[in-house]
Amino acid sequence: MDTTHPWMDEDGDTLHEECGVFGAVNASDAAALTAFGLHALQHRGQEAAGITAFDGTQFVTRRGLGHVAENFSSQESIAELPGAMAAGHVRYSTTGGSGLRNVQPLYADLASGGFAVAHNGNFSNAGTLRQELVQKGAIFQSTSDTEVIIHLVATSRYPTLRDRLVDALRLVEGAYALIVMTPAGMIACRDPLGIRPLQMGRIGNAVVFASETVAFDVVGAEFERQVEPGEMIEVDHDGKVTSYRPFGNAGSRPCIFEHVYFSRPDSVFDGRSVYAARKAIGEQLAIENPCDVDLVVPVPDSGVPAAIGYAQQSGVPFELGIIRSHYVGRTFIQPSDSARHSGVKRKHNANRSLVEGKRIVLIDDSIVRGTTSMKIVEMMRDAGATEVHFRVASPPTAHSCFYGVDTPERSKLLAARMEVEPMREFIRADSLAFVSIDGLYRAVGGAPRDAGCPQFCDACFTGDYPTSLTDLERRDRGADQLTFPTHKVA
Ligand code: SF4
């Protein structure tokens, strides 16, 4: 294997959702519920976790690097977080970098009372706003763009915290699903396009919010409805719910990649089972790109539902030709290059007895840099597959995301560098094909994509970003420096 290839960098060859949020109010065991809810959202961020609780007089925050279970599994850790209201966050740290000071919820004492915020998403003008705030004298404690909200709320002239939050959010562009705690209760809100998901449920008299419905299943809550795009829901300490629409109706553009990859398959997103959507994408892929082979083999785990759909639609047997180890750490923590480059082999192993002498089609959810796909194709050939075809359950990922998903910069995306045939050569497959954007829309329950009125954010496939990208435009213009010297807390 050519380990000198510049893209031979395992870290960064998948997309990462950057965060998951959970909140509970009017719940007797709010912190414990939040810990369980965050555990169900662990796939959305594994670098750090935090919970803030409020007992009527005091906010208490506990945050830590690592998984939820490493930080919130003991009775003592939960006992430190008393009260009937709590909100939590799991984080995949890229924007703002790793380090405890960027772990959420972020908290501030404002003149009008305590204010804690857990945020999923990214602002595409966070750098610009941050620069303006710094010029006005704001002192930032973290490098997370979420702190921009706190400063905007702090400097707003409106009287109530809710109105200040609305005032602040009118200034940001991009994606946010927010859970905010104030002395008066909890506020959950979603950006006007609903790019990032946020769901609402109930358990007894408690109201709960979560990035995904799977968290409600885990804590025994009933899914009630999604927080609508542009909606702000306020819940007081008695569980009374009030809905506001301060941002008007901008039309819904939820992230279509939630269906493709990010959400757990046992979640419901945008009114549709994620598992059913992924299977339907696989069926659509088989209709558009059939393949004369002996076996359909998923790239585990995320390619499994689409591979089932592909197999059922095509009538070709589905088999687990690749077995994934669930006990492999992230490759980037390995100290040496040789150890790092062996990552795929340790993570995925060919089921040789199954694939030997067979023509196979591999099904994966996406191709990012292409290095993992190349290694998996090679692994199948080494195991004796006579033909290795590749089908992808999303269109080519040719653009970066600015809305809370960690994508490599555009120049590192394989589909930004080359057309499909050179991509095929790069991953050394016998054939390569992607589901079409219209096919993807059809599979997730939408009408064919209408360039004038798309129903989803699909910018990483189309480059059609649904908001302004102020920071990027300024950087491209060579405008004021938007990067800041950083301070590391050791
Ligand atoms: Fe989702 Fe892609 Fe839009 Fe980012 S750019 S929000 S990953 S569809």
Side-chain angles (χ1 to χ4, degrees):
M1 190 176 301
D2 174 18
T3 54
T4 62
H5 198 286
W7 299 322
M8 207 51 107
D9 162 24
E10 280 310 314
D11 188 32
D13 198 23
T14 52
L15 303 182
H16 298 274
E17 178 68 63
E18 287 193 28
C19 302
V21 293
F22 187 94
V25 59
N26 198 30
S28 55
D29 45 6
L33 270 185
T34 302
F36 282 122
L38 290 181
H39 192 260
L41 300 174
Q42 188 76 82
H43 58 288
R44 298 182 77 87
Q46 293 101 50
E47 304 287 333
I51 296 177
T52 300
F54 180 66
D55 64 1
T57 55
Q58 190 181 29
F59 289 89
V60 181
T61 298
R62 183 185 164 93
R63 301 182 287 175
L65 301 179
H67 287 191
V68 177
E70 291 165 42
N71 290 288
F72 297 104
S73 57
S74 68
Q75 295 284 357
E76 296 75 33
S77 62
I78 297 301
E80 283 176 15
L81 297 162
M85 178 169 76
H89 189 269
V90 286
R91 170 177 174 79
Y92 175 80
S93 60
T94 291
T95 302
S98 58
L100 210 46
R101 66 185 180 151
N102 284 318
V103 181
Q104 300 188 26
L106 297 184
Y107 176 82
D109 279 313
L110 305 180
S112 42
F115 184 88
V117 58
H119 171 208
N120 176 206
N122 275 152
F123 304 144
S124 49
N125 65 340
T128 307
L129 290 172
R130 188 184 174 99
Q131 189 172 50
E132 289 167 7
L133 286 160
V134 168
Q135 279 163 359
K136 287 179 189 164
I139 298 169
F140 279 78
Q141 293 296 317
S142 77
T143 51
S144 152
D145 63 1
T146 308
E147 197 181 350
V148 167
I149 302 173
I150 289 177
H151 284 280
L152 291 173
V153 169
T155 50
S156 169
R157 293 177 185 278
Y158 281 84
T160 69
L161 270 174
R162 175 167 59 81
D163 288 342
R164 286 167 169 238
L165 181 61
V166 171
D167 191 33
L169 293 176
R170 282 193 207 287
L171 297 174
V172 305
E173 64 187 37
Y176 55 84
L178 290 179
I179 296 179
V180 172
M181 291 164 64
T182 75
M186 184 168 282
I187 299 172
C189 60
R190 235 174 134 195
D191 66 75
L193 295 167
I195 296 173
R196 298 261 70 85
L198 191 57
Q199 317 292 345
M200 177 177 168
R202 285 184 194 266
I203 176 168
N205 293 325
V207 177
V208 286
F209 296 98
S211 298
E212 290 183 38
T213 60
V214 64
F216 301 153
D217 297 341
V218 166
V219 303
E222 288 282 317
F223 169 54
E224 190 162 301
R225 67 178 179 86
Q226 70 170 355
V227 178
E228 297 296 334
E231 185 180 14
M232 181 172 270
I233 297 178
E234 201 169 25
V235 188
D236 71 14
H237 293 296
D238 297 322
K240 181 169 167 259
V241 173
T242 312
S243 166
Y244 304 89
R245 297 296 183 120
F247 307 113
N249 186 353
S252 172
R253 297 283 298 274
C255 167
I256 204 166
F257 231 120
E258 292 284 346
H259 274 312
V260 172
Y261 175 68
F262 300 133
S263 290
R264 259 176 61 160
D266 44 347
S267 280
V268 172
F269 172 64
D270 204 34
R272 184 156 165 75
S273 150
V274 173
Y275 180 81
R278 280 184 198 159
K279 248 183 87 179
I281 298 169
E283 290 164 8
Q284 186 66 32
L285 187 60
I287 292 167
E288 295 180 3
N289 301 291
C291 203
D292 185 17
V293 289
D294 304 312
L295 298 177
V296 174
V297 173
V299 176
D301 290 326
S302 51
V304 171
I308 292 171
Y310 193 98
Q312 290 181 356
Q313 177 65 39
S314 61
V316 177
F318 168 96
E319 293 287 1
L320 296 178
I322 303 170
I323 305 300
R324 182 185 155 199
S325 167
H326 290 269
Y327 303 101
V328 175
R330 287 178 58 93
T331 49
F332 76 89
I333 61 168
Q334 301 298 331
S336 70
D337 267 7
S338 58
R340 187 158 56 91
H341 293 316
S342 71
V344 166
K345 277 254 163 65
R346 294 183 307 114
K347 206 185 282 181
H348 296 120
N349 190 35
N351 194 349
R352 180 179 288 273
S353 62
L354 202 68
V355 302
E356 196 162 19
K358 301 284 194 334
R359 299 168 303 156
I360 65 167
V361 60
L362 294 167
I363 310 291
D364 205 354
D365 56 85
S366 57
I367 292 181
V368 182
R369 298 183 186 220
T371 49
T372 304
S373 310
M374 180 210 293
K375 290 178 184 178
I376 287 174
V377 169
E378 184 179 44
M379 186 195 299
M380 293 291 98
R381 292 201 196 282
D382 288 349
T386 55
E387 290 178 29
V388 183
H389 302 266
F390 212 102
R391 297 291 179 270
V392 186
S394 60
T397 304
H399 303 269
S400 299
C401 176
F402 300 96
Y403 303 129
V405 173
D406 173 34
T407 39
E409 61 185 64
R410 189 160 185 235
S411 61
K412 303 271 172 45
L413 295 170
L414 193 65
R417 301 176 58 93
M418 47 182 90
E419 299 294 325
V420 173
E421 177 54 20
M423 288 176 78
R424 182 199 68 73
E425 284 174 19
F426 179 82
I427 68 168
R428 301 170 193 159
D430 291 295
S431 72
L432 170 67
F434 297 78
V435 76
S436 68
I437 189 77
D438 276 348
L440 176 60
Y441 266 65
R442 200 170 298 121
V444 302
R449 187 182 196 278
D450 173 350
C453 189
Q455 305 135 65
F456 294 94
C457 176
D458 53 25
C460 46
F461 309 127
T462 62
D464 176 10
Y465 293 94
T467 73
S468 305
L469 300 176
T470 298
D471 287 352
L472 183 74
E473 286 154 14
R474 286 186 60 171
R475 205 157 41 225
D476 288 349
R477 284 202 316 267
D480 305 353
Q481 182 62 259
L482 288 177
T483 53
F484 298 86
T486 58
H487 165 230
K488 182 176 170 191
V489 180

